[in-house]
Amino acid sequence: MTSEGHFMQSSLRNVLPTLLALLLGYGLMQMGNTLQGTLLSIRGSIESFSPTEVGSVGAAFWAGIVLGSLWAGTVIARVGHTRTFAALAAVAASTALFHLLAIHPVVWIAARALTGFCFAGLFMVVESWLNSAATGETRGQILSLYGMTGLIAGIGGQLLLPAGDPAGFRLFCVVSMIISLALVPIALSRATAPAHATGEAGINLPRLYGQSPFGLIAAFLCGVTSASFFALGPLFAHEAGLDTGGIAVFMACGTLGGFAMTWPLGWLSDRMDRRLVIIAAAGAAAAILLALLTFVPDKPPAWVLYLCVAIFGGSVIPTYSIVTAHVNDMVEPGEFVAASGGLLIVLGAGSTAGPIVSGVAMSLFGPRGLAYATILAQVLIAAWGVYRIRQRAAPPEAQKEAFTPEPAVPVGTELVPSS
């Protein structure tokens, strides 16, 4: 092994205690959050919420994410990482139980928005802490582990759904317990929190659009697609005839497909115009949904749905990571944090609009409405990509940043010291 390899392993070992505690806490948060999202969708259907109302509950989480990403940095700067994490985790765990106390769409929308606000702050704590602990030699490895942890935890959260009856109270208690347990590894860790942090990232959306018109529009449409799937996918699976266990496997297969394809698509995007990879992935997602609508009966065998959603997830879940990499190729080196924050706002806007639009489509057209809305979003990504390729050439290979997978729910940016 080269001396450089020994140095990188040594650097990684030095931050391993911090890394393990943060990733364990982050994984538990993601597990609880994905279980809660699926549970609310199914329980909303049981309580006779309309698809538009169910979609609005899912959209509220992302509205909270955007607000939390804009304001949580100030809280972290004032009271520190550990106290912020403890306070927000306590509120998020309590809010999970509040859904049982007042079963009404408006109350659930408000509660889910509060959950999103808390989770934005929680993830910002973890991401900024990880970035502070990382070095230039280990940051790529650490952020890759972070992204993969989010995807694996998301799969685990989906598979917990059969542990209780969605019409009862046990699963809400499980969500609250998991989020509360996320406090333990970080509270007991000996790792020292970053001493200085602030949330000011200098976000400038008009400038970012000028640097990467394709990236901003694609990020918005990625949000539309992903949030629609996670908010309304359980309702679609329920209408397709799957039971609680089947819905859990259905949602897990979508995330598993994304997990399996993240590295292959990322590797490919490092070796060609990233926009071509995104266009191909969007085309594949639209094609599999069209095939599902055209050739598959309304009540298909479960394995057909699992296969289709795995291909769909493998096409759409990795796309945001590649969009992020493409935008980073286009901005100046000192603007990575601002670009990440800007993309997050745009992603959050798309994720807020997506479940509402898809919910309305499901109210009008039934379960097929979700597929119609998603196909439209993917076709728009592909069409916009083809247009932009004709307007601007890809950046030279020497300018491209190495691909790093983003977590399934990317919500935070690195907090940088104030000048």
Side-chain angles (χ1 to χ4, degrees), residues 57-68:
V57 173
F61 175 79
W62 282 97
I65 285 287
V66 173
L67 293 175

Side-chain angles (χ1 to χ4, degrees), residues 393-407:
E397 289 297 319
Q399 185 180 322
K400 295 179 73 171
E401 291 290 316
F403 170 83
T404 299
E406 296 283 343

Side-chain angles (χ1 to χ4, degrees), residues 123-143:
F123 291 137
M124 286 179 73
V125 167
V126 173
E127 290 178 20
S128 59
W129 203 332
L130 285 174
N131 274 292
S132 176
T135 65
E137 293 78 18
T138 61
R139 181 166 282 109
Q141 299 173 69
I142 288 174
L143 293 181

